[in-house]
Amino acid sequence: MKITGLRTLTTLQDWGRPVGDVNGFISGGVTDVPLVVLETDEGLEGIGIGSHADVARVFPAIEGQDPRATFALYDRMLAWVFKSGHGGATFGGIGALDMALWDLKAKIAGEPLWRTLGALDRFVPGYASALEIAIPDDELEGLYAGWIDRGFTSVKVKGGLDLSSDLRRLARIREIFRANTPHPGVMLDANESWNRKQAIRYISALEEHIDLAWVEEPLRRWDAEGLAMISRSVRAGVATGENLTGLEQYKPLLDAGAVDIVQAGSMWGITHFLRVATVAHSRDLPVSPVGSAASPVWHAAAAVPNHLALELQDLGAPLGVRLDHELVDGGVLLGLEPGNGVQLDEASIADGLLEQGWAQPAGPHVRPARAGLRLVPDGPPGEGSTRPGLRPGRPPVAPDHG
């Protein structure tokens, strides 16, 4: 079998609520979901979710190749962009193609991807992560009802701008999850919004009232010395890694003892996750995939010995996407269909209308100018915001934001 073609599609995820973090939020709750499809000379197709960045430029590295050579083709894609580098957005395109290759490998074998990857148990534990920073306090119980019904016992909360508000919301959300366990796992995600001492003061103040399992991305992703300082200064673990685009970027953090929970972005692909998990395992550290309401990387999480919990951001599926899994007992029960369990209804996708995109100029993927430079953490409320210091997303205003 040989890879003969590539096509890209974009569908949408309707969250039914505002979604975002300390950096901003999408008020309409509709985001785009890029898909890639690899075609073969025998009619089988492989599906990847995550990014279209540079896929056309990278595709020649795998065109005409046997898709079962997943590891070799992954390295071939990295080598293909050797001069310009594989970091940043390009890494997302490589990750989407990598997912599609693994999907084909499992389909050729006639088995679900988790089995191809060597997993024994198809259940993968997870935690709730609703990107809920713009949701009013009195709507939190209704927001999390679906996760409670499905047995989830841990939850990650977005925050970092308003200590009083974060304390109140963390306590309230902890009470909601006590419906399933006396001692819920509670995490806070600051999305790189603090400086070093500010982070230590803020987390220490929180820990006077809330036992945090981890604090995620308290500092910039590359600040190994600062992250290590925080890890030594607070009780909570430091979780980071979702925005690192390449295995080599983890080395300074691991060498400095700067990360307690090693994360990997789901959109960066299966091979990347497997390699990150192996490196983390060599240092007796747990690994956790971040992002996505539906990710083929979950199959890889089932196969590694040091997986902690996956992030489940939504209970639904993107438009025109059918997923072969169940959300039960606080995690994901992966299905038995061959491949990664993702099937597309391309007619439905073609009929879909993208109302708003995730990477808007005012959305959570754009770092505010004063992030990490606020003497008083909470700023003035953004227009239309229900939380201090937040900015709602707005339609794109310049063609270079996409």
Side-chain angles (χ1 to χ4, degrees):
M1 181 179 294
K2 293 183 179 181
I3 299 165
T4 56
L6 164 72
R7 63 183 189 275
T8 60
L9 306 88
T10 300
T11 187
L12 61 85
Q13 178 94 19
D14 187 351
W15 302 72
R17 63 184 190 274
V19 290
D21 58 39
V22 69
N23 300 302
F25 65 92
I26 304 298
S27 57
V30 178
T31 62
D32 52 316
V33 180
L35 306 163
V36 300
V37 181
L38 285 179
E39 303 163 346
T40 68
D41 57 356
E42 296 186 23
L44 274 183
E45 295 185 335
I47 299 168
I49 303 176
S51 177
H52 292 162
D54 271 350
V55 292
R57 185 163 71 102
V58 173
F59 176 70
I62 61 174
E63 187 174 15
Q65 302 295 318
D66 187 325
R68 290 171 290 189
T70 47
F71 291 119
L73 292 180
Y74 182 79
D75 288 328
R76 185 176 171 86
M77 287 190 285
L78 296 182
W80 201 259
V81 292
F82 163 65
K83 286 292 186 180
S84 59
H86 61 253
T90 299
F91 201 62
I94 291 173
L97 293 171
D98 176 68
M99 292 183 216
L101 289 169
W102 280 101
D103 187 32
L104 281 169
K105 186 181 182 82
K107 285 175 177 174
I108 293 168
E111 60 188 14
L113 180 54
W114 57 266
R115 193 179 299 281
T116 301
L117 288 164
L120 179 64
D121 188 348
R122 61 192 177 104
F123 176 78
V124 193
Y127 64 88
S129 179
L131 312 186
E132 79 313 314
I133 199 162
I135 303 298
D137 289 10
D138 59 3
E139 296 179 13
L140 291 172
E141 188 167 358
L143 170 66
Y144 288 114
W147 278 277
I148 295 299
D149 290 345
R150 290 162 177 81
F152 282 79
T153 58
S154 298
V155 56
K156 186 170 75 182
V157 180
K158 297 289 188 179
L161 276 182
D162 186 315
L163 180 62
S164 297
S165 176
D166 285 351
L167 280 170
R168 184 181 67 250
R169 287 168 69 86
L170 284 164
R172 185 163 190 153
I173 292 169
R174 180 181 59 185
E175 287 302 312
I176 292 170
F177 279 81
R178 279 181 174 159
N180 288 341
T181 177
H183 304 289
V186 181
M187 297 80 81
L188 180 73
D189 189 354
N191 288 101
E192 304 187 40
S193 61
W194 296 322
N195 61 49
R196 294 181 183 185
K197 285 294 188 176
Q198 186 182 70
I200 293 170
R201 291 168 55 213
Y202 202 108
I203 299 165
S204 297
L206 289 174
E207 289 187 323
E208 292 179 10
H209 306 277
I210 301 287
D211 185 27
L212 295 170
W214 77 62
V215 175
E216 188 167 320
E217 291 193 320
L219 302 178
R220 299 312 305 269
R221 65 201 70 169
W222 52 75
D223 187 0
E225 181 183 23
L227 290 166
M229 179 190 303
I230 292 173
S231 181
R232 292 191 298 266
S233 301
V234 302
R235 297 197 310 270
V238 169
T240 192
E242 67 174 278
N243 288 310
L244 300 182
T245 53
L247 185 63
E248 68 284 350
Q249 295 181 14
Y250 287 81
K251 188 179 187 304
L253 276 71
L254 292 167
D255 288 347
V259 53
D260 303 300
I261 294 88
V262 181
Q263 297 180 313
S266 290
M267 71 176 294
W268 308 134
I270 288 166
T271 300
H272 172 70
F273 175 81
L274 291 173
R275 291 179 175 180
V276 169
T278 299
V279 170
H281 189 46
S282 74
R283 298 175 184 246
D284 293 321
L285 292 173
V287 68
S288 176
V290 177
S292 184
S295 175
V297 172
W298 296 349
H299 290 255
V304 300
N306 55 331
H307 174 254
L308 180 61
L310 59 81
E311 179 181 34
L312 181 67
Q313 295 178 337
D314 193 53
L315 302 174
L319 174 68
V321 178
R322 188 179 73 80
L323 305 170
D324 182 31
H325 67 238
E326 298 178 62
L327 304 178
V328 294
D329 299 328
V332 178
L333 183 66
L334 299 168
L336 298 172
E337 295 178 1
N340 62 24
V342 179
Q343 293 191 16
L344 305 181
D345 180 347
E346 296 192 31
S348 295
I349 292 173
D351 290 339
L353 174 65
L354 289 179
E355 298 177 7
Q356 288 185 315
W358 175 256
Q360 302 176 35
H365 280 194
V366 179
R367 180 173 169 83
R370 297 298 296 173
L373 296 174
R374 304 177 183 95
L375 189 59
V376 178
D378 52 313
E383 180 184 354
S385 171
T386 59
R387 301 286 315 285
L390 299 182
R391 303 164 301 127
R394 300 185 293 275
V397 296
D400 59 340
H401 291 281

